[in-house]
Amino acid sequence: MKVLKSITLVFIFLLFSCETEEFNNNSNDDMDDTGEEMPSESIVLANAFPNLSFTQPLDFQSPDDGSNRVFIGEKGGSIRVFDNDSDVMETAVFLDLRGTISTSSEQGLLGFAFHPSFENNGYIYVCYTPSERLSVISRFTVSSTNQNAVDLTSELVVIEIPQPATNHNGGQITFHTDGYLYIAMGDGGGSGDPDGNAQNRTNLLGNILRIDVDNTQAGLNYAIPSNNPFISDTSVRDEIFAYGFRNPWRMSFDTTTGKLWTGDVGQNEIEEIDIVEIGGNYGWKLFEGTSCFSGDCDDTGLIPPILEYNQDNGDRSITGGYVYRGDAISTLQGKYVYGDFVSGRIWTLTEDGSANELLLESGLNIASFGTDASQELYLCAFDGNIYKFVVSEN
């Protein structure tokens, strides 16, 4: 996410954040002003927890443990937990790294994920930046005396990834049904990937990584899955699952098809959505979307985005979302819902990429999307609120 493209931009965005509790489509017509089709069912954003407020919330997660709790990650270094109830009045601090990590530019607590067996082992994995030149994925364990807090002394640093700059740090982490942990890493920052990291597979930047956190090998606190795509190539890091990304901001698995979707933030012209395939090269910095950016413009062997959009209309920083699999909104079923951090626009995209519809003009700085235990869809906004997608009662 350009979240973030710089500290200055973040504060500018915050000045323009919307503070109303519900946002609706601004037009009653079937077409928006760009000619895109509008959905027939009236969908709005409702403040999901109106009694709560957060500071730069950028991750929303719910464990599969039957507790119906919601966990919100804040950029400054905390994770807060509370019951998934619109009337909830307070939160508990589940993890507090505030004051001990770098939060410069796009750094901070950037993502977290619950182990598939969280209900039994209490493991949570967190991506954060302890310093301006390092990202880490650490495992924490829930306190034996308080299910709403981790034991800070339980931290195990699973993997460290050097960072040459304070932007393009990625940071989304998620588990798949294969049990492996997937990690989104940006190209390390600087305009135009000056170090060429995204096409250099000797480092871990500009990649989607996949590791096995349930096993260890060769002095590592993790193992390499045996079917990772490049393990037979000694010149390539074994952790790499796919490569050629600029700053993959928010990735998620479709819980029905298993496909891995990610938004990838563009340079100055194009934002893109990719369906990530094992071993795939997604082109940066040879291409920005499908537009030649550097080199000889040969796209042989590159996987193009399923969708791209330009920045001409004020859409400047994509926030990847989720394929909706909840039950409350029938017209969203099976569609990928995503947004733009700068413009606040939200769209839906069909699985084959053939139909892209403008859903909402929210006016919000959309940092992330998330789903609850029932797979209903939410978003985290930098106005300090968490919003839920609902069908309008009007």
Side-chain angles (χ1 to χ4, degrees):
M1 180 174 65
K2 282 169 196 160
V3 167
L4 333 176
K5 276 183 176 178
S6 70
I7 287 291
T8 301
L9 281 176
V10 167
F11 286 111
I12 290 174
F13 296 156
L14 288 172
L15 289 174
F16 289 93
S17 293
C18 241
E19 296 185 0
T20 55
E21 290 189 0
E22 186 174 275
F23 298 87
N24 204 337
N25 290 322
N26 294 324
S27 172
N28 292 323
D29 298 329
D30 292 332
M31 306 288 286
D32 78 335
D33 57 8
T34 66
E36 293 174 306
E37 293 184 6
M38 303 289 283
S40 58
E41 188 173 47
S42 182
I43 299 168
V44 298
L45 294 176
N47 192 334
F49 311 104
N51 300 314
L52 304 180
S53 181
F54 302 88
T55 302
Q56 293 184 313
L58 48 64
D59 205 2
F60 178 114
Q61 301 292 336
S62 297
D64 184 19
D65 66 350
S67 69
N68 197 33
R69 291 177 294 170
V70 169
F71 293 73
I72 301 296
E74 297 176 308
K75 183 177 182 290
S78 62
I79 298 175
R80 293 162 63 183
V81 57
F82 52 94
D83 292 334
N84 188 3
D85 182 339
S86 62
D87 295 325
V88 65
M89 298 296 295
E90 60 184 9
T91 70
V93 178
F94 184 72
L95 172 68
D96 193 354
L97 300 176
R98 290 173 294 183
T100 67
I101 67 175
S102 172
T103 57
S104 299
S105 186
E106 297 172 14
Q107 297 191 322
L109 192 158
L110 300 177
F112 64 99
F114 297 98
H115 190 279
S117 297
F118 173 75
E119 184 176 7
N120 298 316
N121 60 28
Y123 292 163
I124 181 173
Y125 295 79
V126 182
C127 179
Y128 69 95
T129 49
S131 69
E132 291 189 353
R133 292 295 178 262
L134 187 67
S135 290
V136 302
I137 311 296
S138 281
R139 188 191 77 194
F140 294 88
T141 305
V142 173
S143 167
S144 60
T145 60
N146 182 1
Q147 68 169 352
N148 284 330
V150 302
D151 177 359
L152 281 175
T153 67
S154 69
E155 181 176 11
L156 172 70
V157 176
V158 177
I159 185 172
E160 297 182 333
I161 301 172
Q163 295 287 352
T166 59
N167 62 337
H168 300 184
N169 295 157
Q172 177 82 61
I173 59 177
T174 187
F175 283 93
H176 188 33
T177 54
D178 57 14
Y180 298 138
L181 183 65
Y182 292 71
I183 303 165
M185 276 290 123
D187 65 13
S191 179
D193 190 10
D195 298 325
N197 288 319
Q199 293 296 317
N200 177 6
R201 290 174 289 163
T202 64
N203 68 51
L204 298 179
L205 299 173
N207 303 308
I208 305 296
L209 312 175
R210 182 173 69 171
I211 61 175
D212 177 0
V213 296
D214 291 328
N215 294 285
T216 60
Q217 67 181 60
L220 302 173
N221 285 331
Y222 60 92
I224 304 297
S226 61
N227 60 341
N228 269 16
F230 304 114
I231 57 174
S232 62
D233 188 338
T234 57
S235 66
V236 177
R237 288 293 298 262
D238 293 340
E239 296 91 342
I240 296 173
F241 181 80
Y243 65 106
F245 298 95
R246 183 175 179 273
N247 193 30
W249 186 252
R250 292 353 206 179
M251 65 178 179
S252 64
F253 284 99
D254 181 344
T255 57
T256 296
T257 68
K259 291 183 177 180
L260 178 58
W261 295 70
T262 189
D264 194 16
V265 179
Q267 179 72 37
N268 295 314
E269 294 184 4
I270 296 173
E271 307 296 312
E272 70 180 79
I273 297 171
D274 299 304
I275 296 180
V276 182
E277 299 177 9
I278 186 169
N281 181 356
Y282 289 82
W284 176 252
K285 68 173 184 175
L286 305 174
F287 283 78
E288 181 182 8
T290 57
S291 176
C292 182
F293 185 84
S294 66
D296 61 8
C297 301
D298 181 3
D299 63 0
T300 302
L302 305 182
I303 300 177
I306 188 172
L307 181 127
E308 62 182 26
Y309 63 86
N310 63 42
Q311 299 178 353
D312 295 344
N313 200 31
D315 307 300
R316 299 188 59 84
S317 185
I318 192 168
T319 299
Y322 284 77
V323 175
Y324 179 78
R325 296 297 180 185
D327 295 325
I329 309 175
S330 60
T331 55
L332 290 185
Q333 188 60 228
K335 294 180 179 179
Y336 181 69
V337 182
Y338 67 99
D340 190 277
F341 177 79
V342 177
S343 72
R345 292 188 181 93
I346 301 169
W347 299 267
T348 65
L349 177 65
T350 54
E351 183 179 351
D352 62 3
S354 63
N356 188 58
E357 298 179 347
L358 179 65
L359 180 66
L360 289 166
E361 297 259 13
S362 77
L364 297 167
N365 299 133
I366 303 166
S368 190
F369 294 83
T371 57
D372 64 15
S374 299
Q375 298 196 67
E376 295 304 329
L377 186 63
Y378 300 74
L379 66 80
C380 300
F382 266 21
D383 68 348
N385 294 317
I386 308 300
Y387 294 89
K388 184 177 183 178
F389 290 76
V390 298
V391 176
S392 174
E393 296 179 357
N394 297 330

